[in-house]
Amino acid sequence: GCMVNGKLYPFGRIERTEDCYTCSCSVGEVNCCSLFHTPVDYDKKNCKVVLNKKSCNYDVVRKNDPSKRCPVYSRV
């Protein structure tokens, strides 16, 4: 198998790791791509980015009240 972030996965396609990546695992090689898009245009002064491992996406929330979301204008 292949080690991805400290966890052993079987050879073949890995649909989703615990850290929100999809991978291809073969003898001697593992290739992974993220399942999330990183927010780049948002209110950085009042908001912060948090990885939501349940949805495999970044949430942008208020620094002083993480229960409230912030608008995101662009992701990469």
Side-chain angles (χ1 to χ4, degrees), residues 12-26:
R13 181 164 170 76
I14 304 164
E15 291 296 324
R16 179 178 161 172
T17 68
E18 290 179 356
D19 296 329
C20 297
Y21 287 87
T22 183
C23 302
S24 174
C25 171
S26 61

Side-chain angles (χ1 to χ4, degrees), residues 1-58:
C2 297
M3 290 293 285
V4 179
N5 294 329
K7 185 170 179 186
L8 182 63
Y9 290 91
F11 290 121
R13 181 164 170 76
I14 304 164
E15 291 296 324
R16 179 178 161 172
T17 68
E18 290 179 356
D19 296 329
C20 297
Y21 287 87
T22 183
C23 302
S24 174
C25 171
S26 61
V27 176
E29 183 175 69
V30 61
N31 293 306
C32 297
C33 294
S34 66
L35 293 170
F36 47 86
H37 293 75
T38 306
V40 291
D41 189 9
Y42 60 94
D43 180 356
K44 292 177 177 72
K45 180 180 176 188
N46 296 306
C47 302
K48 65 180 179 178
V49 176
V50 180
L51 179 60
N52 181 333
K53 289 187 179 183
K54 188 174 183 178
S55 68
C56 282
N57 206 356
Y58 279 112

